[in-house]
Amino acid sequence: MISLTLSTERTETPFKLVGIRTTTIQKIKPNDDQSHMQDQFDVLGEIEWHTLASSKFRYGGTEVEAKQFIPKKGLLGRKRVFIGPDSRPYRWDLNFRVLALSRDDASRTEVARFHRANLGIVGRKRKAMLEVSPEVAHMMDTVIMTFIYVEKLRKDNERASRNTAALGGG
């Protein structure tokens, strides 16, 4: 497995009280000049977040709605499926504490898993980490883009559950 801390990728989502928010995802650009040691970044893509309409992905000169690119699957919509650049189907499972990416076929081979940060109160302290199988290294950009999307969905669901519980609704 390849372990990534999100310091090799960079995201920015400027705060807006009203309107559409856009997350810009950047990746480190190889530096040809060894004397210039400051990191350079290229834009990998963007996710334009919508509340009422479908969010949008922009990458490689294309724009596609999330409901077409990575639609919901399953009874509660806790799965998101997409076709990778290798023409294979993949599926993110959005469980309460875990995000896992697997092939959406009979094998159900897990190819990525997100480990949340641990403050070290119980267990060892660690930074958040996305563990990715070398099997999907050829489509790392797609793994990163879809991960950022589903992690935001998972966080939003977790926040909504906490708010409902705090109001006495669950």
Side-chain angles (χ1 to χ4, degrees), residues 44-129:
L44 170 62
E46 295 180 324
I47 302 171
E48 187 177 279
W49 303 101
H50 294 263
T51 305
L52 301 176
S54 181
S55 295
K56 295 180 182 174
F57 284 83
R58 284 192 288 273
Y59 60 95
T62 64
E63 181 176 287
V64 62
E65 290 187 351
K67 67 182 179 183
Q68 294 170 329
F69 177 59
I70 187 164
K72 293 178 185 179
K73 183 179 180 181
L75 188 61
L76 299 174
R78 290 193 176 181
K79 297 166 187 5
R80 292 289 179 141
V81 296
F82 66 96
I83 302 298
D86 57 3
S87 300
R88 289 181 157 173
Y90 293 90
R91 172 174 117 183
W92 279 105
D93 289 306
L94 288 75
N95 298 318
F96 181 67
R97 302 264 322 149
V98 178
L99 279 176
L101 177 65
S102 58
R103 291 203 170 43
D104 194 25
D105 59 18
S107 75
R108 295 281 299 120
T109 304
E110 186 173 294
V111 293
R113 176 175 287 267
F114 178 58
H115 302 275
R116 294 171 69 167
N118 187 341
L119 298 175
I121 297 166
V122 176
R124 281 188 22 231
K125 182 178 180 177
R126 71 166 185 249
K127 292 182 178 181
M129 175 181 57

Side-chain angles (χ1 to χ4, degrees), residues 1-169:
M1 289 286 215
I2 301 167
S3 297
L4 299 173
T5 55
L6 294 183
S7 60
T8 58
E9 307 290 327
R10 184 166 74 178
T11 64
E12 297 173 1
T13 308
F15 175 77
K16 283 188 179 179
L17 193 56
V18 179
I20 298 167
R21 294 176 59 177
T22 302
T23 298
T24 302
I25 304 157
Q26 301 173 327
K27 66 179 179 178
I28 293 177
K29 179 169 73 173
N31 193 343
D32 296 332
D33 183 0
Q34 294 298 324
S35 65
H36 188 261
M37 295 304 291
Q38 188 169 357
D39 289 337
Q40 301 286 319
F41 291 87
D42 279 335
V43 173
L44 170 62
E46 295 180 324
I47 302 171
E48 187 177 279
W49 303 101
H50 294 263
T51 305
L52 301 176
S54 181
S55 295
K56 295 180 182 174
F57 284 83
R58 284 192 288 273
Y59 60 95
T62 64
E63 181 176 287
V64 62
E65 290 187 351
K67 67 182 179 183
Q68 294 170 329
F69 177 59
I70 187 164
K72 293 178 185 179
K73 183 179 180 181
L75 188 61
L76 299 174
R78 290 193 176 181
K79 297 166 187 5
R80 292 289 179 141
V81 296
F82 66 96
I83 302 298
D86 57 3
S87 300
R88 289 181 157 173
Y90 293 90
R91 172 174 117 183
W92 279 105
D93 289 306
L94 288 75
N95 298 318
F96 181 67
R97 302 264 322 149
V98 178
L99 279 176
L101 177 65
S102 58
R103 291 203 170 43
D104 194 25
D105 59 18
S107 75
R108 295 281 299 120
T109 304
E110 186 173 294
V111 293
R113 176 175 287 267
F114 178 58
H115 302 275
R116 294 171 69 167
N118 187 341
L119 298 175
I121 297 166
V122 176
R124 281 188 22 231
K125 182 178 180 177
R126 71 166 185 249
K127 292 182 178 181
M129 175 181 57
L130 181 62
E131 201 172 14
V132 181
S133 167
E135 290 180 50
V136 291
H138 66 282
M139 56 180 249
M140 191 66 76
D141 292 353
T142 303
V143 171
I144 297 294
M145 289 273 295
T146 58
F147 163 72
I148 289 168
Y149 179 74
V150 297
E151 172 60 0
K152 181 181 182 307
L153 296 179
R154 189 202 61 74
K155 280 183 175 178
D156 289 351
N157 288 340
E158 186 177 276
R159 188 174 305 116
S161 293
R162 273 198 315 263
N163 290 345
T164 300
L167 294 172

